[in-house]
Amino acid sequence: MSKPTLSKVVVPAAGLGTRFLPFSKVVPKEMLPIVDKPAVQYIAEEAVAAGAKQMLLVTSRNKESMEDHFDMAFELEAVLRGRKKESELEMLSKLSKLIEVASVRQQQPLGLGHAVLCAKPWVGDEPIGVMLPDDLLEAPTPCMRSLWECFARFGHSMGVVALMEVPWEKTHQYGIVSAERVEEGVVRIRSIVEKPPSNPPSNLAVIGRYMLPPTLFGELEKTGRGAGGEIQLTDALARMVDAPGLLGYLFKGRRFDTGDKLGFLEANVAYALKRPELRAPFLAYLRQLLETEST
């Protein structure tokens, strides 16, 4: 019998993006460009690198452009073909074949847990990868692939969440865990609390990648409204700590919070410097800018 593989990922993307108004009034914040690709495309590419074949976008009104981005664009492609823009045509062809994309509406803003629960009919009885589109994660091995490998190694029953150390003064902004070491880079989570106002159990924060068994949906259905009057994914995860169990994968790469203006700008700088055609002139510009600002 072949081993199960990661097939489907869910991307909760129904938020209003109020931190990016007025831009996000009509354009989803997930479509904000990081150099020349929207943030959601980087999420899709990480999912594909982990083996995923299908991606479900959990959206709200006026967010159709995310799904359109991964669709074919016949008129545009016809113009490019007529102008013999072969490299651009190839890029669009690869994009439309990158991953199978579907969407479902979260009709009420009832929180991240509710957004994930909206995916239940689509996921069925399969493991579920959950990827928050605000978090761009850079590492030699894509974070979602590392989570899947950990999930598979421990038997497909225990959930695995990505963890990262954050400054103690920022622990109130995250789900925070207490945990004990299982092996290098992996811990067994003993408790998890959403945005502790004081006395956090550690500075290990849950970041936007999860690999979870289908039993998650049963826990979400039993989870009432928590912080902010919303159904919190963290509360459902807390119910999984004892059985079947919850692991944490210690992410060691770079994280960019593109849902934050400063994080968005940092991501653009970092990703621009990775581009061979941009690196040298962009570095020259940044050096000149620093010299000007320091005088």
Side-chain angles (χ1 to χ4, degrees):
M1 181 180 295
S2 61
K3 294 181 179 179
T5 58
L6 173 62
S7 173
K8 298 177 178 180
V9 297
V10 173
V11 179
L16 297 175
T18 54
R19 286 184 287 180
F20 278 94
L21 287 170
F23 174 89
S24 56
K25 179 181 178 182
V26 294
V27 181
K29 65 180 174 62
E30 295 83 6
M31 292 298 290
L32 279 162
I34 308 299
V35 186
D36 57 3
K37 294 193 295 188
V40 69
Q41 184 175 334
Y42 290 93
I43 298 298
E45 290 170 349
E46 182 185 335
V48 170
K53 301 295 188 295
Q54 297 175 288
M55 178 173 73
L56 180 73
L57 301 169
V58 182
T59 65
S60 54
R61 293 181 68 251
N62 300 322
K63 291 211 170 190
E64 295 85 357
S65 60
M66 283 190 290
E67 195 169 0
D68 290 344
H69 178 72
F70 296 96
D71 202 355
M72 296 182 69
F74 295 104
E75 298 88 348
L76 175 57
E77 291 177 22
V79 171
L80 293 173
R81 193 171 293 110
R83 296 177 181 176
K84 300 189 184 305
K85 300 279 190 178
E86 299 301 328
S87 61
E88 289 85 351
L89 271 171
E90 182 182 3
M91 175 183 64
L92 291 183
S93 176
K94 288 181 178 179
L95 176 59
S96 63
K97 297 173 183 175
L98 178 64
I99 192 169
E100 182 182 329
V101 179
S103 66
V104 65
R105 287 278 181 93
Q106 183 185 18
Q107 295 182 335
Q108 299 179 67
L110 295 180
L112 177 57
H114 179 260
V116 174
L117 188 56
C118 289
K120 180 182 178 181
W122 182 80
V123 174
D125 192 29
E126 295 185 41
I128 173 178
V130 178
M131 306 177 70
L132 304 192
D134 284 350
D135 276 0
L136 294 190
L137 304 180
E138 279 287 299
T141 300
C143 185
M144 204 66 221
R145 186 196 299 174
S146 296
L147 260 64
W148 170 259
E149 291 172 352
C150 184
F151 180 78
R153 192 164 69 254
F154 284 89
H156 300 91
S157 59
M158 300 173 70
V160 187
V161 303
L163 301 175
M164 193 173 191
E165 289 188 356
V166 298
W168 285 92
E169 64 272 16
K170 293 187 176 181
T171 52
H172 66 282
Q173 300 175 8
Y174 298 88
I176 300 295
V177 307
S178 64
E180 58 189 37
R181 185 180 187 275
V182 174
E183 62 182 35
E184 182 64 30
V186 179
V187 297
R188 175 74 183 263
I189 294 174
R190 293 305 182 187
S191 68
I192 180 171
V193 58
E194 178 68 13
K195 298 179 180 178
S198 60
N199 301 317
S202 75
N203 68 333
L204 279 178
V206 179
I207 56 176
R209 300 291 184 273
Y210 311 78
M211 191 64 238
L212 301 165
T215 52
L216 167 73
F217 293 115
E219 299 300 338
L220 284 170
E221 288 171 336
K222 292 183 287 187
T223 300
R225 298 193 186 191
E230 299 178 338
I231 298 174
Q232 298 291 343
L233 179 60
T234 301
D235 292 342
L237 295 177
R239 300 166 71 100
M240 297 172 63
V241 165
D242 292 328
L246 193 63
L247 299 172
Y249 166 75
L250 304 180
F251 177 70
K252 296 297 185 182
R254 298 179 69 187
R255 171 181 175 263
F256 300 97
D257 179 4
T258 62
D260 170 79
K261 290 176 184 176
L262 181 58
F264 167 72
L265 294 172
E266 291 172 346
N268 266 283
V269 171
Y271 280 75
L273 291 176
K274 291 172 61 176
R275 301 280 287 270
E277 76 279 15
L278 294 176
R279 181 176 175 82
F282 191 42
L283 274 175
Y285 166 73
L286 292 175
R287 292 191 184 102
Q288 181 183 18
L289 182 64
L290 288 172
E291 290 174 2
T292 301
E293 292 294 319
S294 62
T295 58

